[in-house]
Amino acid sequence: MMQITIERKSLEQIETGALIVLVFEGRKEVRFGAGDLCDAGEVAGKSLELTLLHRPPGVAATRVLLAGAGKPEKFDSAELRKVVSAAVRHLKSKSVKHIALALEPEHADGEYVSAAVEGAILGDFEPDRYKTDDDSKPVEAFAVVAAGGAADLDQAVARARVLAEAQNFTRGLVNEPANRLTPSKVAEAARQMASEYQLECEVLEREQMQKLGMGALLGVAQGSAEPPALIVIRYRPAQAGSKTHLGLVGKGVTFDAGGISIKPAEGMEKMKYDMAGGAAVLGAMRAIAQLKPAIPVTAFIPCVENMPGSRAQRPGDIVTAMSGKTIEVINTDAEGRLILADALTYARQQGCTHLVDAATLTGAIVVALAHLNVGLFANDEAMRDRVLQAAKAEGERMWLMPLEEDYKEYLKSAFADLANTGGRWGGAVTAAIFLKEFAEETPWVHLDIAGMAYLEESKPFLAKGPTGVPVRTLVRLATEWKD
Ligand code: BES
Ligand code: MN
Ligand code: ZN
């Protein structure tokens, strides 16, 4: 585990392998002998520009890393999180194990310190678990130098550690390949996490799902030899009596081959990420258990493998969901909404008053928003605002999408109450409209994270693979909740 400290010494006295110093666009850095580099235009302060100086004059640190932070008027805690993450990734690639960050007094408050610590922990994550040549070089120590900063920054450090470690926990799970992380194995990981953090955990098996009438979930599961699991994790605050009971629902498809409506081979390996919503909900519960919000929070994670086995459901099949609604399965690859339908119904039956789901639900959301925003859909304005505010505070970008009644037209079926697909256009919206039928009148937000759950290539500030979005938003939603 990375050692994290707040240092009150002056910059010159900080002994470390590398001291990260922010450089802003339009502001010249003259310390550490950097004046010439600035004059030559080699250090311009552009966002994520990194320049490593060895044995810089005037400081005890072995190195100084000049880290571009962009235009000062655009700088915020989200930018700091990225800059620190990129700096840490750069330094650890050079086997630097002790790192410090210099924060100006104006930025030495809880929000910025949290973002910096999160950036360090997120930047340290490597998806190299299955590489046998052990050349990973985790960062051992990270210090935030905040000489003139706010008095109590320890709490910000503690919260940031909980959040970022939960996010890395999610990233690790999402990155597990489908042969090693089956629905039963997700359930096992959930049980273990729950017992480690004193949460209640219960796993519904096929038989119980049958008794509950979860025909939509079971229909997806029947194409795989791997049995399904519906994971339920409960957090209860010490003080009962809140009128809110928040339900977090996450799509847990451990592999999405598409079923009989099978996907093309190209890129199919990425469908091991199709449980990212479920893993984010697990990660959020891990943090919630430690940060102890005032409201009860229950997680519901339907886990299945969507395979084209000989028992698989076929296009044209009609299933009956737990809510009683019948669904014509036009395309077996639209499986996420089917398992979420029953999970949402079950969450409502369990007494949740407010719901958020996270799901890698549609390719169409990636067409609409690319890889820059989560698509957010809401049937309730207050709930919408709560989630948008939490997302903004955590630097997880989300964009409001429509959820109007008349989109329901597209889901008409001649033979059942609903079809599971809505045709070519507006695929992310019709998927959300489908879910809305099962959220019914419960205030609910749907997060389509298909474009944000993983990186296809690494970025300077984040390794290739799972991102851990939207763990931080879900946690903040719960911890900031006011009835
Ligand atoms: N898991 C996919 C969505 C997805 C696509 C996630 C790309 C991540 C990246 C989902 O189950 C799916 O297959 N959706 C279909 C729906 C269609 C059949 C209506 C899609 O988006 O093509
Ligand atoms: Mn699918
Ligand atoms: Zn899927």
Side-chain angles (χ1 to χ4, degrees):
M1 203 164 74
M2 197 185 293
Q3 187 201 0
I4 301 173
T5 51
I6 299 283
E7 283 288 350
R8 302 291 185 173
K9 284 188 244 170
S10 71
L11 263 199
E12 302 79 55
Q13 295 171 299
I14 301 295
E15 287 178 30
T16 180
L19 177 65
I20 303 167
V21 176
L22 302 179
V23 183
F24 291 90
E25 242 178 288
R27 287 191 198 160
K28 191 175 153 179
E29 178 60 75
V30 293
R31 297 170 297 175
F32 327 109
D36 290 345
L37 282 163
C38 290
D39 289 339
E42 284 173 50
V43 171
K46 293 238 181 299
S47 180
L48 304 183
E49 167 200 270
L50 298 174
T51 312
L52 188 58
L53 310 175
H54 279 244
R55 299 260 163 229
V59 287
T62 313
R63 305 171 189 79
V64 160
L65 181 66
L66 301 174
K71 296 200 171 71
E73 64 272 19
K74 279 204 179 155
F75 186 75
D76 58 11
S77 58
E79 175 74 12
L80 179 65
R81 190 182 290 106
K82 275 193 190 177
V83 171
V84 171
S85 200
V88 164
R89 278 170 55 74
H90 185 73
L91 291 167
K92 71 179 296 199
S93 78
K94 309 205 176 305
S95 303
V96 179
K97 291 194 161 58
H98 295 138
I99 300 175
L101 166 73
L103 272 189
E104 297 299 316
E106 56 177 316
H107 295 136
D109 63 12
E111 180 187 341
Y112 280 92
V113 167
S114 280
V117 169
E118 287 161 17
I121 295 172
L122 296 172
D124 194 40
F125 178 88
E126 299 288 352
D128 60 358
R129 168 158 195 208
Y130 294 108
K131 290 196 177 274
T132 54
D133 48 347
D134 186 23
D135 58 357
S136 78
K137 310 151 193 158
V139 173
E140 284 166 13
F142 181 75
V144 179
V145 189
D152 185 23
L153 294 171
D154 293 339
Q155 216 177 327
V157 170
R159 181 181 185 278
R161 184 198 282 284
V162 167
L163 277 171
E165 285 178 357
Q167 201 173 334
N168 282 350
F169 166 81
T170 292
R171 293 166 79 192
L173 267 182
V174 177
N175 209 39
E176 286 293 310
N179 62 328
R180 293 172 185 268
L181 194 74
T182 60
S184 316
K185 290 285 174 59
V186 181
E188 202 179 301
R191 276 204 196 90
Q192 202 189 321
M193 184 279 286
S195 84
E196 195 172 335
Y197 295 98
Q198 285 85 50
L199 294 164
E200 290 168 38
C201 180
E202 183 190 353
V203 179
L204 306 197
E205 294 178 0
R206 196 188 319 253
E207 213 169 292
Q208 291 156 286
M209 296 179 201
Q210 277 160 349
K211 285 201 183 113
L212 288 161
M214 296 182 163
L217 198 170
L218 288 165
V220 177
Q222 76 191 35
S224 171
E226 292 295 338
L230 175 55
I231 302 165
V232 182
I233 300 180
R234 293 191 171 82
Y235 162 78
R236 293 179 215 271
Q239 202 131 353
S242 160
K243 51 182 191 188
T244 305
H245 178 182
L246 179 61
L248 304 179
V249 181
K251 172 176 173 180
V253 176
T254 58
F255 190 72
D256 182 10
I260 295 299
S261 313
I262 197 164
K263 287 182 180 296
E266 166 122 23
M268 208 205 267
E269 74 282 359
K270 285 177 235 149
M271 286 301 119
K272 72 169 181 175
Y273 297 142
D274 213 23
M275 33 62 79
V281 167
L282 275 182
M285 294 306 287
R286 187 185 195 262
I288 283 168
Q290 296 168 81
L291 300 176
K292 305 194 192 308
I295 54 167
V297 185
T298 306
F300 301 88
I301 305 160
C303 295
V304 296
E305 195 181 41
N306 189 25
M307 297 286 275
S310 65
R311 304 294 299 273
Q313 69 179 347
R314 296 135 291 239
D317 283 5
I318 295 177
V319 295
T320 304
M322 183 184 172
S323 79
K325 286 199 165 87
T326 57
I327 304 163
E328 183 185 7
V329 179
I330 299 291
N331 189 318
T332 65
D333 198 11
E335 85 296 343
R337 65 198 73 182
L338 293 171
I339 68 170
L340 290 169
D342 282 338
L344 288 167
T345 302
Y346 188 65
R348 297 184 66 237
Q349 194 229 53
Q350 292 290 301
C352 291
T353 59
H354 296 75
L355 293 167
V356 182
D357 78 71
T360 47
L361 203 65
T362 67
I365 199 65
V366 195
V367 174
L369 301 174
H371 299 290
L372 292 175
N373 273 291
V374 168
L376 182 150
F377 301 80
N379 67 356
D380 176 270
E381 288 180 11
M383 193 58 186
R384 171 198 71 195
D385 291 344
R386 283 181 191 273
V387 178
L388 280 172
Q389 270 169 29
K392 188 156 184 58
E394 291 295 344
E396 293 186 320
R397 286 168 68 185
M398 301 192 181
W399 197 267
L400 182 65
M401 298 286 290
L403 196 70
E404 295 156 299
E405 266 313 302
D406 38 3
Y407 281 97
K408 213 191 143 185
E409 284 290 306
Y410 293 98
L411 294 177
K412 272 206 167 129
S413 160
F415 314 115
D417 298 338
L418 281 169
N420 81 326
T421 59
R424 182 158 157 72
W425 309 116
V429 186
T430 52
I433 289 284
F434 182 94
L435 296 181
K436 182 169 173 263
E437 291 300 304
F438 298 90
E440 303 196 36
E441 70 285 352
T442 304
W444 155 79
V445 165
H446 159 55
L447 302 175
D448 192 336
I449 60 171
M452 299 294 285
Y454 57 92
L455 296 178
E456 303 203 6
E457 287 310 328
S458 61
K459 297 244 169 114
F461 52 88
L462 215 63
K464 174 175 173 162
T467 60
V469 168
V471 169
R472 296 202 309 271
T473 297
L474 296 178
V475 176
R476 182 174 287 262
L477 176 70
T479 54
E480 303 265 283
W481 195 283
K482 307 266 179 310
D483 273 326

